[in-house]
Amino acid sequence: LDMEADLGIDTVKQAEMFAAIREEWSIPRDDTLQLRDYPTLARAIQYVYDRRPDLAPGGSVEASDGAATVASVPDTVEAQASTEGPPSAAGAVGGSSEVAESVSRRVPAPMLLSALDLCKKTAVRLQEGSRIVVMADRGGIGKALAGRLERLGAEVLLMAAETDAEVLASRLEAWRRDGEIQGVYWLPALDSVGEISELSAEEWQQAVTRSVKLLFRTAKQLYDSLDSAGSFLVSATRLGGRHGYDDAGAWAPLGGAVAGFTKALKRERPSALIKVVDFEPSRATAALAERLIEETLRDPGTVEVGYFGAERWGVGLKEAPLEEPFEQVELDSDTVFVVTGAAGSIVSAIVADLAASSKGIFYLLDLAPEPDPEDEDLKRFRADPEALRLELFERLKAQGERATPAMVERQLAVLERARAALAALESVQTVGGQVHYRSVDLLDGEAVEKVMGEVRERHGRIDVLIHAAGLEISHGLSDKSSEEFDLVFDVKSQGWFHLLKAAADMPLGATVVFSSIAGRFGNAGQTDYSAANDLLCKLTSNLRTSRPQTRGVAIDWTAWAGIGMASRGSIPKMMELAGIDMLAPEVGVPIVRRELQAATRGEVVIAGSLGVLLEDWDREGGLDAETLQSRQRGPMIAGFEARQTPRGLVVEGELTPVQQPFLDDHRIDGTPVLPGVMGIEAFAEVSRLLVPDRQILAVEEVEFLSPFKFYRDEPRSLEVQAFLGLEAEEVVASCRLVGRRQLAMQTEEQETVHFVGRVRLGVQLPPASAIEVPAVPEAGLEGEDIYGVYFHGPAYRVIDRAWRQGSVVIGRLSEALPPNHIPEDRPVLMAPRLIELCFQTAGLWEIAQSGRLGLPWRVTSVTTHRSAEAARGRVMAVVQPGSDGSFDARVVDEAGNLLVDLVGYRTVESPVEVEAEALARLRSVMKNAG
């Protein structure tokens, strides 16, 4: 019996089995082993006898042939079939089911990347002897690229965008016989095909063939060549320069298929340079050709890169939990739902949840025929599936057929889909909703139009269109047939095209497409599935302009636990090994309803831990450490290591208290504590590292969550994370300052987020208006009075006099302060001691009110207009206490220049009480005896 075809033992389990066999009989590992050579149990037994002749019972075991097999590399996964939406375990995507509390809602977002001059060189060399394939676009970029490559000495095979599959294969094979092919540039996705809704079915197929199906054939034919550090495949898209994740949405959305394919190919060919480069709509040819070459030669750590203006953008993930209450859109008994893939067990459960909430009108579409509730096998399957399994074995035997577990499982799979479809129907009927089941092939445009015409005639609109249909068959690219690729790709993509085409003249309230983390990150063995899913995401993004009245939602699911095909066989084990959490049904089922009620637009990732999918392709994320460190001149990150990750820019290093005055002179109860103002400075330094030409407009929404302490005066490592995203046309860096400590009796480090905040960067600061300068009274709180209360050392004794003037409190900056940091010539961006002047001045007011010290807690916004060194004359902080317990402050010089503008400063009360005599003196000056 064939292990996969007859017994249903996928290659994951086969790999596990061979590992167990080696261990049991002490057989050395053989890296040349191919599982395809051992498709049956008989051949597996012979494998043992061949390597351990002493175990053989005097003869060999005959091995049967003829059963279908799948290819595998030694002890790895290459094939796993599924008929559900979530990904299988092929390659990277595979985890544990304990996710009920850990599931996160994240959104893909534009993430600013470093300029190429800050990136490492790749292993690719474009030079004499390079042989490169260029599949051209229709706009001339391919021709311009070929010319530049030839001037570098390369030999180029330039093919026109209209090349068909047979001609392509023939020319590639002939060219490869003349020498090794180093790389491929794939450019057809630079061409826009216009409005998708205006294409005919034939034009759609031609477009996807040019953009991605020929790419599949090319990559498969050159698969062996794309397996070294010097080889490459660079594809180009024109989604808009930020991969469709900005407000404009995807411009030429068919590029999503190319992006998804490219990401999946990188998972299969990690040694090669493989990336997708996105561009804005433009007529430029020479500039884009130059950038494609530059991207080939630099940055080995980024797979998705885009150009908008002069800046490079990637795609990152941002945490984005739904905020309560999220019921902005009502789903009721008049809501018209159209749902594809309705016979899937996951989709059936989601339909039940939507029906219970809305009692609405449901049109359930699936390839499976409408289930007959009176079917005896279906009844038995619902009551006792194991008993039916045994009976089916006996039936096959009685019919004289070769009964195998795989044959029985195929029959049970049909019944399982019937059971799921019946459950969906009953769930709507039970709550009093209306339900219509239609068996329809989504690849048949006329059949889809007929069903949608029925909806149009009865209701004139669709409120919610959910496209959950899909097929997944995982094989490595070298073993994936064109028929398989087309089937997996078309069920999702062409099915969606037919649905949107048929609904073109109807009001369409919201769409939901089921994508996958395989579409977002790519996955080995799933080039077709990844391409189709990412295409759905980009078509959803395109709705922002093509159908702005429609709320488009794309959900990148992780694999589900306990329900659906991904919960069976070896997939949960592979997911666990990959560190990827599976999704508990009780968590996943309500998500579609919640996203609809929240009026979501865009793509969301629903997953717990993503494990290997977030691992970096390069240790520094492609950054050139030496070049980058030359820019790190500020005192907080000078000499720190930096790397680009899917979570943003990460800068990590060590600070030593006795070497830095801002630590040594900032001790609480003798322990050095990182000042909050230096945390603000760290955020600014890291955020501006990649965009030195932008100005820091403000540091906002700062929260001081936990003090960062240096115990026993020992050095500590800290990490600053900055996700440089986009808001309107400003770059906004979401920052975290993280500390880690190895605690006694603990095996893992304790990780603590100490500070968070946002840095807003723009072209230039607006001019600051002149400020009225307060008069300095003859008497006030002097430095010795203030620092008899405060804990600060010399470098942070920033106030030499403080007084009250009407409703404000004023603190004057001390002259000739010791250095804030060593070496003192390192420039700061946020004038931290001027912000500290605001904090301490506000603190004097608070002490007068409560008798206790206040420690920094929050800052709504702070902007630095000038440094203390640029001030004219003495400097003062004018602090306005608010009725809500917050403070606003402005730092001015004697010429009326605004240096710092601080809004919404708040503190948390320290348990330390101020000594009575010092408190009395302070209160008398503040004219507040209370």
Side-chain angles (χ1 to χ4, degrees), residues 884-907:
D884 60 353
S886 68
F887 297 88
D888 295 340
R890 289 183 161 190
V891 179
V892 301
D893 63 18
E894 286 183 317
N897 297 308
L898 178 63
L899 280 63
V900 172
D901 192 3
L902 182 144
V903 177
Y905 171 60
R906 291 179 178 272
T907 66

Side-chain angles (χ1 to χ4, degrees), residues 630-874:
S630 68
R631 285 190 177 180
Q632 295 168 209
R633 301 193 59 240
M636 280 300 296
I637 63 169
F640 280 26
E641 292 186 356
R643 63 187 188 277
Q644 187 81 55
T645 78
R647 299 166 297 280
L649 181 65
V650 176
V651 179
E652 185 176 16
E654 188 177 83
L655 291 176
T656 303
V658 295
Q659 293 178 354
Q660 289 297 351
F662 65 79
L663 296 175
D664 202 25
D665 287 349
H666 195 266
R667 295 174 179 263
I668 300 178
D669 295 330
T671 299
V673 178
L674 181 67
V677 296
M678 292 306 290
I680 291 173
E681 174 66 22
F683 288 167
E685 291 181 20
V686 171
S687 300
R688 196 157 175 252
L689 197 55
L690 301 185
V691 281
D693 294 334
R694 285 185 179 256
Q695 300 298 313
I696 296 173
L697 305 183
V699 181
E700 304 171 335
E701 299 175 20
V702 181
E703 292 188 53
F704 306 104
L705 304 174
S706 174
F708 192 103
K709 298 182 179 181
F710 293 77
Y711 301 94
R712 295 182 295 277
D713 275 3
E714 294 177 351
R716 273 193 75 182
S717 294
L718 62 82
E719 180 177 288
V720 181
Q721 305 167 357
F723 184 103
L724 279 75
L726 182 70
E727 289 187 9
E729 287 307 311
E730 291 179 352
V731 173
V732 177
S734 299
C735 301
R736 307 196 317 164
L737 190 148
V738 178
R740 296 180 180 86
R741 297 176 59 212
Q742 184 65 59
L743 301 178
M745 309 298 290
Q746 300 294 322
T747 57
E748 296 185 0
E749 284 186 322
Q750 177 195 66
E751 180 179 299
T752 304
V753 179
H754 293 274
F755 305 158
V756 298
R758 293 168 18 116
V759 181
R760 195 155 49 85
L761 301 110
V763 177
Q764 84 179 69
L765 273 171
S769 57
I771 305 297
E772 184 179 348
V773 181
V776 181
E778 293 184 3
L781 279 175
E782 302 299 329
E784 59 268 23
D785 300 318
I786 296 167
Y787 296 101
V789 174
Y790 282 149
F791 53 81
H792 304 81
Y796 270 64
R797 294 183 175 181
V798 294
I799 307 176
D800 73 349
R801 177 178 289 187
W803 64 96
R804 178 173 174 178
Q805 183 174 304
S807 62
V808 301
V809 183
I810 300 163
R812 188 175 65 184
L813 183 68
S814 299
E815 292 186 293
L817 281 168
N820 175 71
H821 49 269
I822 302 296
E824 60 182 301
D825 61 347
R826 293 199 177 277
V828 293
L829 299 175
M830 292 303 296
R833 287 198 291 191
L834 296 188
I835 301 174
E836 181 72 16
L837 178 66
C838 299
F839 286 5
Q840 291 188 23
T841 303
L844 296 174
W845 172 274
E846 283 194 313
I847 294 170
Q849 305 303 311
S850 67
R852 293 177 183 270
L853 290 172
L855 299 176
W857 176 30
R858 289 182 176 175
V859 172
T860 299
S861 173
V862 58
T863 298
T864 299
H865 294 271
R866 293 190 180 196
S867 66
E869 292 73 19
R872 295 172 60 188
R874 297 299 298 270

Side-chain angles (χ1 to χ4, degrees), residues 401-452:
E401 297 186 33
R402 185 177 182 228
T404 68
M407 292 179 66
V408 172
E409 289 301 323
R410 281 194 287 270
Q411 293 189 29
L412 291 174
V414 173
L415 290 170
E416 181 171 5
R417 293 193 68 79
R419 179 179 65 177
L422 185 57
L425 286 163
E426 292 174 345
S427 69
V428 180
Q429 293 164 346
T430 299
V431 298
Q434 301 178 41
V435 63
H436 310 274
Y437 188 94
R438 299 291 180 264
S439 177
V440 60
D441 182 354
L442 294 179
L443 300 182
D444 184 341
E446 291 183 2
V448 174
E449 173 59 46
K450 182 179 177 182
V451 174
M452 299 296 268

Side-chain angles (χ1 to χ4, degrees), residues 29 38 93 147 297 414 420 465 538 560 609 617 777 799 818 820 849 862 893 911:
R29 178 185 175 92
Y38 300 91
V93 177
L297 299 176
V414 173
L465 174 59
K538 299 312 188 288
W560 291 58
S609 171
W617 291 110
I799 307 176
N820 175 71
Q849 305 303 311
V862 58
D893 63 18

Side-chain angles (χ1 to χ4, degrees), residues 147 152 208 226 229 238 281 309 400 476 640 685 728 780 795 824 833 842 856 878:
L152 292 172
V208 297
L226 296 171
R238 217 187 284 266
F640 280 26
E685 291 181 20
E824 60 182 301
R833 287 198 291 191
V878 182

